[in-house]
Amino acid sequence: MSADRQSWKDIRDRIRDQILDRTYAPGDKLPRDADIAEQFGCARTTVQRAMQDLSDTGLIERKRKGGTHVRANPVTRATLDIPITRLEVEETGAVYGYQLIDRKVLPTPREVAAKFEQVEPNSMLRVQALHLADHKPHILEDRWVSIETAPEILDVDLARESANEWLVRNKPYTRFDLRIYAISADAETARMLATEPGSALLVLERTTWIGTDPITSVRSITIPGYQLLTKS
Amino acid sequence: MSADRQSWKDIRDRIRDQILDRTYAPGDKLPRDADIAEQFGCARTTVQRAMQDLSDTGLIERKRKGGTHVRANPVTRATLDIPITRLEVEETGAVYGYQLIDRKVLPTPREVAAKFEQVEPNSMLRVQALHLADHKPHILEDRWVSIETAPEILDVDLARESANEWLVRNKPYTRFDLRIYAISADAETARMLATEPGSALLVLERTTWIGTDPITSVRSITIPGYQLLTKS
DNA sequence: CAGTGGTCTAGACCACAGC
DNA sequence: CTGTGGTCTAGACCACTGT
């Protein structure tokens, strides 16, 4: 009956098993952490750690005073890693390439300003660029950068270094927003991505802030067949 | 000099600030947890908790013996919540509806078997269904369920309860795989989603296992304009 | 082999939310 | 007001991995 040293993952798995085998069914209340700790012969901190993990992955819900419940309507919670485009390309073994298409300071269009809630930058730098994999188009990037938050961007030679890389290394964000959808390629987009007009393309739209200051909003249009995968 | 009680979030923010202001630049090594704890006048456990969070969000990288480094190439790490389709629809205030299109036991096609690595089910239940929002098509679901892992599915009245809901409540998974991409609607798909052939559609493909046993693989085709958003 | 992050324990106090 | 989860502390040991 001597309790071996148990890791929080052991505890987590044992609790999860009890949920899977319906010892605790969806909607049921689980015992207090303290009682579970006693039952398993470990410290309450260890149970807390296990519960935190189950809560993070969406299997249970915890409330102070309310206790811990098995979620009645579990969600699928997935983590997406979006690397710098260059690294994403290089990881597949392909040769990365980059072309600046256009670079212009412009007044902020309304639809771009709208993405930055609250603070709306007056004029921004618009950068259009193409990322290549093995000399073929890979991602078409349409980016707006706040000149007020990142004035240094004006001095960067964007023909050599992509705004993507410069920003990620020099303007870390504290908050971001990601939106994923599909579009049908128009003639211009199709031409730049070397594909057919009407092709279905996956689009990633990201907006980033540092504190409440807007940094950048970018629309990345991928080539046909592009897939996003969840990490492990 | 009396150090006030500090929460791990305070510590996390202070460390993050030091990274943002370049006290520690990308690639730099941070001091050992113990030293940071001393510097901030808190327990090492608290620093550990703060570091764990920064590591989770992709800002730093930690290695035993190797120490803690600011990531040279930060990734954007986003969390996606994918709820049960009915709840997703109801949350927008729309009326949820559901139609079973077809239900058939079939030998597992090769492309479906391939999604379940290792264990490949022999015959599966194929369920095609349509989820409606305000009586209009919303998501078209093409699902394969393992009869070996979830034989009870054969007795479920799938005309009344969607396989989506039944599975989520009765066959929780321990592992899953998610893939997101865009397709162009073919004639049949367009007809069922009441849209034009050639429309760009976002597709979510999910495969789930319980342990190493395959449960289901589903392809959810969304209507034009559908968007995935990151949580908070 | 030794340094650094990862985890466990026991006990205490805090903070939020139901009662 | 009181119960329950959330966190902090101090100290100890473990486990991975670079040297």
Side-chain angles (χ1 to χ4, degrees), chain B residues 12-221:
Chain B
R12 177 199 58 189
D13 291 345
R14 291 173 70 176
I15 298 171
R16 186 204 275 140
D17 285 347
Q18 290 188 319
I19 294 174
L20 295 190
D21 73 15
R22 299 291 184 134
T23 302
Y24 303 110
D28 283 3
K29 182 174 186 171
L30 290 159
R32 317 156 30 208
D33 289 7
D35 291 341
I36 292 185
E38 195 184 4
Q39 175 193 336
F40 289 154
C42 67
R44 183 161 82 82
T45 320
T46 308
V47 174
Q48 155 74 25
R49 185 75 178 76
M51 290 295 198
Q52 180 192 315
D53 189 76
L54 292 171
S55 177
D56 283 349
T57 55
L59 192 60
I60 62 174
E61 236 174 353
R62 320 194 80 205
K63 267 188 217 157
R64 283 163 149 128
K65 169 81 179 181
T68 304
H69 290 260
V70 180
R71 281 183 95 115
N73 301 294
V75 292
T76 296
R77 190 161 292 168
T79 303
L80 278 179
D81 270 8
I82 304 180
I84 300 179
T85 307
R86 177 175 60 77
L87 294 180
E88 176 195 319
V89 169
E90 289 175 351
E91 207 150 275
T92 67
V95 176
Y96 173 74
Y98 166 77
Q99 280 175 14
L100 178 63
I101 297 171
D102 194 26
R103 196 213 92 118
K104 229 178 249 157
V105 175
L106 295 169
T108 313
R110 264 210 311 173
E111 71 273 17
V112 174
K115 296 187 197 307
F116 297 108
E117 306 149 13
Q118 308 191 7
V119 189
E120 305 189 343
N122 289 322
S123 73
M124 305 187 76
L125 181 68
R126 184 194 193 185
V127 182
Q128 288 172 289
L130 188 64
H131 299 273
L132 310 165
D134 278 343
H135 313 293
K136 288 175 295 191
H138 185 64
I139 290 181
L140 179 62
E141 176 179 311
D142 184 5
R143 183 185 292 272
W144 294 80
V145 185
S146 164
I147 295 177
E148 284 150 46
T149 313
E152 309 91 326
I153 189 78
L154 295 173
D155 300 325
V156 178
D157 179 3
L158 294 175
R160 295 196 56 235
E161 185 179 16
S162 82
N164 183 351
E165 298 217 18
W166 187 87
L167 283 166
V168 100
R169 282 203 237 282
N170 296 280
K171 288 286 161 184
Y173 49 82
T174 54
R175 187 162 77 85
F176 75 97
D177 192 273
L178 176 64
R179 178 177 301 254
I180 303 165
Y181 54 91
I183 62 164
S184 199
D186 58 28
E188 177 71 0
T189 304
R191 189 180 59 74
M192 295 206 269
L193 284 176
T195 185
E196 298 303 315
S199 308
L201 308 173
L202 189 71
V203 179
L204 283 76
E205 213 173 271
R206 251 183 306 172
T207 305
T208 62
W209 293 260
I210 181 160
T212 57
D213 299 336
I215 303 176
T216 188
S217 181
V218 59
R219 198 160 173 254
S220 298
I221 306 178

Side-chain angles (χ1 to χ4, degrees), chain A residues 31-68:
Chain A
R32 316 156 32 208
D33 289 7
D35 291 342
I36 293 185
E38 195 184 5
Q39 177 193 333
F40 288 154
C42 67
R44 183 162 81 84
T45 321
T46 308
V47 174
Q48 156 74 24
R49 185 75 178 79
M51 290 295 198
Q52 180 193 314
D53 189 75
L54 292 171
S55 177
D56 283 347
T57 54
L59 193 59
I60 62 174
E61 237 173 353
R62 318 194 81 203
K63 267 188 217 158
R64 283 162 148 131
K65 170 83 179 178
T68 305

